[in-house]
Every structure is written in C-alpha cells, then in structure tokens.
Amino acid sequence: MLGVIDLPTYLAGLVLIVLLPGPNSLYVLSVAARRGVRAGYTAAAGVWCGDTVLMTLSAAGVASLLQGNAVLFGIVKYAGAGYLTWLAFGMLRSAWTMWRTRRERVEEELSDQSAAEERPYRKALVISLFNPKAILFFVAFFVQFVDPGYAYPALSFVVLGAFAQFASFLYLTALIFSGTRLAEAFRRRRRLSAGATTVAGALFLGFAVKLTLASA
C-alpha cells in the first residue's frame, strides 16, 4: 500500500512506542490536570505540530545530517536538555510553593498566575522540536517499512506518519481526559497535587539527563 510493507507489524510496534512515557505525553497530562481539556488539547496540538515537523525533516534527510555532524547534534541535544531542565525546575519550584503554602486562597492565586503565564502550545512544540533523537528514531523506524523499490518513498513516509499521528491523537486524548479527573482530586488534596508536581519535575530532570547522555 503506497510503498508501505508489513503494515500489521508497523502498527503493533507503533502502539508500543506511543505508550512509552516521554516528556511530551507527561507535559500534556500535566497541563490537562491543571487547566482542563481545552488547555490539554492546546498542548497536544503543539506535540502534533512538532512531530509533523520532525517527520518531515526525517523524510528530507536532516537525520543523516545530524547523525554525521557531531557538533550540530550536540548543539540541538544540549539545547533540548537545557529546556527540559528549565521546565523541571519550574515544576519543582511550584511544588515547593504548594508544600509551604497552607492557605487555599493563596495557592489558588499562585495557580491562576502560573496558568496565565503558561503557553501550553509553545512549550509542547519546543519540547518536541528540541529532541534530535526523535528525528533519528523516525528514520530508523519508518525506513524498515518502506519498500525500497517504490518510486515515491516520500509518500510512504506520509502514510506512516499519518498512522503515527492518529495513534498519538488517541493516546493524548485519553491522557487529557484522565488529567481532568486527576484535577478534581488535586483540588481536594493539596498534598497530592504537590506530590504529583514534584514527581513530574523529577521525571523531566530525568528526561534531560537521558537526552544529555544520548549519542548520535
């Protein structure tokens, strides 16, 4: 089908890959839990746009450039790790404020102020784009299911990418609606909210370290 081979195997692998936790999905879940469905989908849109750009760059051969240029790969890698670290410290700082604050009104004001300053789409887009390993992954994974004899391999990439985006849409939608349920629990239990924010910040630090240690 349009140069795509072994589609069932691709779909099975795609489901497993999409379900693996990463900074994108964690951020969407965090936004949905704090700000609701609409903000969650705004963040998800940033993820989808970012992934579309990465898939396009992969098909255009940018992955080969990153793989063959250690300096360029290092610049993108450390920029991405730095951004994830910045997000992580922002989450940990918010969690510390929640732990120290005992008055609900003050906490709500801080939460409202944080929500007003946040730009979910932009943050999710940057998280997606500053991940050179994602570009390399798309090529390494997609190329296994493209017929080398097909005359229009770019079209094959489009088909594979469309399936990937559809799977991402279903998964992030599930996370968004799960996040809104978590939000109700967070509003009732401030310690739970602070603890969850702490865990999210720690995970983002872990993602930053993992990206820093990645090699082309």
Side-chain angles (χ1 to χ4, degrees):
M1 182 185 71
L2 300 177
V4 176
I5 58 177
D6 203 3
L7 183 59
T9 301
Y10 169 75
L11 294 177
L14 182 63
V15 169
L16 295 176
I17 292 166
V18 168
L19 291 177
L20 289 175
N24 290 343
S25 57
L26 180 61
Y27 180 69
V28 171
L29 177 62
S30 172
V31 170
R34 288 181 286 110
R35 299 183 54 186
V37 171
R38 183 174 181 178
Y41 272 112
T42 300
V47 173
W48 296 325
C49 288
D51 286 348
T52 298
V53 171
L54 295 185
M55 291 176 193
T56 303
L57 292 176
S58 299
V62 174
S64 299
L65 177 62
L66 282 177
Q67 203 165 20
N69 191 323
V71 175
L72 180 59
F73 182 87
I75 291 173
V76 177
K77 178 178 72 172
Y78 288 115
Y83 187 72
L84 290 177
T85 301
W86 178 74
L87 288 178
F89 277 108
M91 292 179 177
L92 293 174
R93 186 170 58 250
S94 297
W96 177 245
T97 301
M98 289 185 223
W99 283 116
R100 294 184 60 186
T101 304
R102 291 294 181 268
R103 295 180 180 177
E104 186 174 344
R105 180 178 301 176
V106 175
E107 289 178 349
E108 289 176 350
E109 289 175 356
L110 289 172
S111 177
D112 292 342
Q113 180 181 358
S114 176
E117 294 174 352
E118 189 174 17
R119 299 291 185 272
Y121 175 84
R122 184 176 63 186
K123 283 191 175 183
L125 180 64
V126 173
I127 291 173
S128 294
L129 293 179
F130 278 89
N131 188 359
K133 298 299 289 184
I135 302 177
L136 302 179
F137 163 77
F138 283 130
V139 167
F141 185 62
F142 281 10
V143 74
Q144 300 177 52
F145 303 96
V146 175
D147 184 355
Y150 188 64
Y152 307 101
L155 184 58
S156 303
F157 270 81
V158 170
V159 173
L160 294 172
F163 277 114
Q165 291 288 51
F166 181 68
S168 177
F169 172 79
L170 294 178
Y171 179 56
L172 292 183
T173 293
L175 289 183
I176 288 168
F177 284 96
S178 298
T180 56
R181 291 192 179 93
L182 289 174
E184 294 300 323
F186 290 160
R187 290 190 186 98
R188 293 193 302 267
R189 301 179 182 179
R190 296 292 176 175
R191 290 184 179 180
L192 177 62
S193 179
T197 304
T198 301
V199 171
L203 286 174
F204 266 81
L205 275 180
F207 291 136
V209 172
K210 182 179 179 181
L211 181 58
T212 301
L213 298 177
S215 58

